[in-house]
Each structure stands twice: as structure tokens, then as C-alpha cells.
Amino acid sequence: MAFVITQPCEGEQAGECVSVCPVDCIEQGEDQYYINPDICIDCGACVSVCPVDAIVEEYEMRPEEEPYLAKAEAFFGV
């Protein structure tokens, strides 16, 4: 399982998550940040620093958040 950055990040792009990620799996896209699901080690460091509460665990996603996992997978070509 990986963490997923969802709708509150769109347009916000605060970026605090990038500096705390121990494996550098978060990258900035055109409209939001994305977490590479193949690299994420599920440490949760990004969750606690996100100022807009945009980061959720994949298994806790609500149905309306599922497109954000697909966006991340497409962004990284996974």
C-alpha cells in the first residue's frame, strides 16, 4: 500500500511533504504533488506535515478519491 495525495492539494501545492520524505518519492506535477506508489515505503511522514490534509493511505481512500491514485500512477507511468 502507498499513500495518495488527493484533491485538497490541487492548486495548493504547499510542498512540505517533499522535504520530509525519506525515499524522495514525492514529485510536483502540473496541478498537484504525486507520491510514486512503487517507491513509497508507507512511513507516513508526509501525512503529519501536509497543511491541507490531502494525503491518505490507499486502503482508506473514499470512492471519490480513487481517481487520484490513477493520476499518480499515470504521472509515474506505473
Side-chain angles (χ1 to χ4, degrees):
M1 292 290 163
F3 283 88
V4 179
I5 299 176
T6 61
Q7 187 276 327
C9 184
E10 287 182 327
E12 177 66 34
Q13 298 187 12
E16 285 89 336
C17 55
V18 176
S19 62
V20 299
C21 181
V23 294
D24 296 323
C25 71
I26 304 173
E27 293 184 23
Q28 186 173 14
E30 186 175 312
D31 63 343
Q32 72 174 77
Y33 282 92
Y34 296 100
I35 297 174
N36 187 325
D38 283 348
I39 299 174
C40 179
I41 60 170
D42 303 319
C43 69
C46 56
V47 176
S48 62
V49 299
C50 181
V52 293
D53 296 322
I55 305 172
V56 297
E57 287 190 79
E58 183 179 343
Y59 73 89
E60 292 183 341
M61 287 190 318
R62 298 182 309 247
E64 63 270 17
E65 295 171 328
E66 291 178 9
Y68 292 94
L69 175 59
K71 282 178 68 174
E73 291 172 339
F75 180 80
F76 289 107
V78 177

